[in-house]
């Protein structure tokens, strides 16, 4: 069984299917994973013109299914990894597996503000490709929070819809790759706001986003930037709550394999963003999925030896 249907999970499915291991992929709530929420993927090898993130994931699924993998729209609610076979509670039903690959990925990190929570889906969002084209954002000033590649990608995408895009970053240097940072800084519709953090999303009383309150971390000065939408792109947190106290993980929740893809429980393997806070690329996740699949194949062969 494979938990997760992003690049890591579907590559693991492709390899285990081709090894005749009849993998079942439990897709989670977002089939195809986070890449389905991105626009063009320009750095996945083999696509010189780039490829739409959703299309890339649909192709990966099709390729895995061609060799017999099954992909089920399902959520894992609990795991019991104390005995063989391992038991999973999947949408209320108990299912068993001899080997498990965890490729549960990561979710969007939140700012952690009460006003952010109250205005989610009412102007606060975590995905420009999903929501950017909504009428409420058209020809309006918009805000993107973050300084990494995701924030730059969101800001660039939103220039199609917003009148202006304010990029709020807590430092005065973007973390993003040079190529993305260059595109952002040379775009006349994007206005960087440096050294600033969002302290409140306005206006909870009106039930919609009208602006953000900012604090300059160097001077302490407070300002308000008017906007109709807040796109938060400040990184990710691993989807590993299910495994707390069961598998070794670091303080941020990233699973810690013992060696290769093998976790602290024999027969349980990890791949992709749930175990990687360093590279976090589509291609590295796919590579980790491949490695986990090869290790599963060897592990199952050793059980039967
Ligand atoms: P990231 O690289 O971790 O960047 C997160 C950004 O959010 C950083 O600028 C960080 O500030 C800021 N931040 C974090 N917590 C914050 C908070 N509580 N309040 C305010 N700001 C906060 O995450 P990412 O941009 O999502 O990228 C993740 C990975 O995916 C990276 O490896 C990236 O290269 C890759 N990616 C690549 C592409 C592409 O190549 N086109 C597109 C998207 C993502 P600091 O800089 O001060 O830490």
């Amino acid at each position: 069984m494979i938990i997760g249907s992003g690049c890591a999970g579907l590559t693991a499915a492709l390899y285990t299917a081709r090894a005749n291991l009849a993998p079942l992929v439990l897709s989670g709530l977002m089939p195809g994973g986070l890449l389905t929420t991105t626009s063009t993927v320009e750095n996945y090898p083999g696509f010189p013109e780039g490829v739409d993130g959703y299309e890339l994931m649909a192709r990966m699924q099709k390729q895995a299914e061609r060799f017999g993998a099954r992909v089920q729209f399902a959520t894992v609610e609990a795991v019991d990894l104390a005995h063989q076979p391992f038991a999973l509670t999947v949408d209320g039903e108990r299912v068993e597996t001899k080997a498990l690959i965890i490729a549960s990925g990561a979710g969007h990190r939140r700012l952690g503000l009460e006003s952010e929570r109250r205005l989610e889906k009412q102007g606060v969002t975590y995905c420009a490709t999903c929501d950017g084209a909504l009428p409420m954002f058209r020809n309006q000033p918009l805000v993107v929070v973050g300084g990494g590649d995701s924030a730059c990608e969101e800001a660039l995408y939103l220039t199609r819809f917003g009148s202006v895009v304010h990029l709020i970053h807590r430092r005065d240097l973007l973390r993003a790759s040079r190529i993305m940072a260059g595109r952002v800084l040379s775009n006349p519709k994007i206005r960087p706001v440096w050294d600033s953090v969002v302290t409140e999303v306005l206006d909870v009383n009106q039930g919609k986003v009208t602006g953000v309150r900012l604090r300059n971390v160097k001077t302490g000065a407070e300002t308000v930037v008017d906007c109709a939408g807040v796109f938060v792109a400040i990184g990710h947190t691993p989807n590993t709550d299910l495994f707390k106290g069961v598998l070794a993980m670091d303080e941020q929740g990233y699973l810690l394999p013992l060696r290769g893809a093998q976790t602290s429980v024999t027969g349980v393997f990890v791949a992709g963003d749930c175990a990687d806070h360093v590279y976090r690329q589509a291609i590295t996740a796919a590579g980790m999925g491949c490695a986990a699949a090869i290790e599963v194949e060897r592990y199952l062969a050793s059980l039967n030896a």
Side-chain angles (χ1 to χ4, degrees):
M1 245 169 237
I2 298 167
I3 300 179
S5 55
C7 290
L10 290 176
T11 305
L14 171 65
Y15 273 75
T16 47
R18 284 173 57 84
N20 283 339
L21 296 175
L24 173 64
V25 179
L26 305 166
S27 72
L29 288 176
M30 192 189 272
L34 273 187
L35 216 63
T36 59
T37 67
T38 196
S39 47
T40 308
V41 181
E42 291 181 332
N43 52 11
Y44 200 88
F47 297 91
E49 278 83 39
V51 57
D52 177 78
Y54 184 87
E55 186 192 338
L56 179 63
M57 298 320 300
R59 281 169 171 256
M60 277 193 201
Q61 179 169 334
K62 208 168 162 191
Q63 192 175 359
E65 286 173 337
R66 186 179 145 214
F67 294 100
R70 288 165 301 143
V71 180
Q72 185 181 328
F73 182 71
T75 309
V76 181
E77 288 146 354
V79 290
D80 179 359
L81 306 179
H83 313 281
Q84 268 286 6
F86 305 126
L88 276 58
T89 309
V90 180
D91 292 332
E93 281 188 29
R94 181 189 159 93
V95 289
E96 294 184 343
T97 184
K98 278 191 197 164
L100 180 64
I101 295 177
I102 301 167
S104 51
H108 297 290
R109 182 181 289 149
R110 267 116 172 111
L111 291 166
L113 302 169
E114 175 63 12
S115 52
E116 171 195 23
R117 191 187 64 75
R118 302 262 302 266
L119 291 170
E120 188 167 341
K121 296 196 174 74
Q122 293 171 67
V124 174
T125 143
Y126 300 85
C127 176
T129 358
C130 317
D131 302 327
L134 290 173
M136 67 199 278
F137 300 132
R138 299 262 172 165
N139 301 314
Q140 298 292 324
L142 303 173
V143 154
V144 172
V145 189
D149 278 322
S150 297
C152 289
E153 196 172 71
E154 304 270 278
L156 287 165
Y157 184 75
L158 290 170
T159 57
R160 299 183 200 182
F161 309 108
S163 55
V164 56
V165 179
H166 302 278
L167 181 66
I168 316 291
H169 184 34
R170 63 184 179 182
R171 295 187 291 138
D172 61 359
L173 187 70
L174 293 173
R175 175 178 295 279
S177 56
R178 278 195 180 185
I179 187 165
M180 293 295 277
R183 284 180 196 166
V184 159
L185 297 177
S186 62
N187 191 308
K189 279 182 90 173
I190 301 178
R191 293 190 198 149
V193 183
W194 304 118
D195 300 318
S196 297
V197 290
V198 177
T199 54
E200 186 184 357
V201 184
L202 307 167
D203 183 347
V204 167
N205 289 336
Q206 291 188 51
K208 66 173 186 177
V209 170
T210 61
V212 285
R213 193 182 303 283
L214 303 180
R215 182 170 50 82
N216 185 299
V217 293
K218 286 189 175 157
T219 65
E222 281 211 350
T223 48
V224 169
V225 171
D226 293 336
C227 64
V230 178
F231 293 77
V232 180
I234 59 168
H236 301 92
T237 48
N239 298 323
T240 55
D241 283 356
L242 272 181
F243 310 104
K244 277 196 180 129
V246 179
L247 295 174
M249 56 178 73
D250 68 13
E251 68 284 351
Q252 291 182 70
Y254 288 94
L255 294 171
L256 292 171
L258 282 187
R259 62 184 173 280
Q262 168 70 56
T263 67
S264 46
V265 173
T266 305
V268 179
F269 303 84
V270 287
D273 284 7
C274 64
D276 172 24
H277 60 89
V278 180
Y279 304 109
R280 297 176 296 180
Q281 304 297 304
I283 188 66
T284 50
M288 290 169 83
C290 163
I294 291 172
E295 292 197 31
V296 161
E297 195 182 344
R298 291 180 183 159
Y299 166 71
L300 290 174
S302 77
L303 288 185
N304 297 329

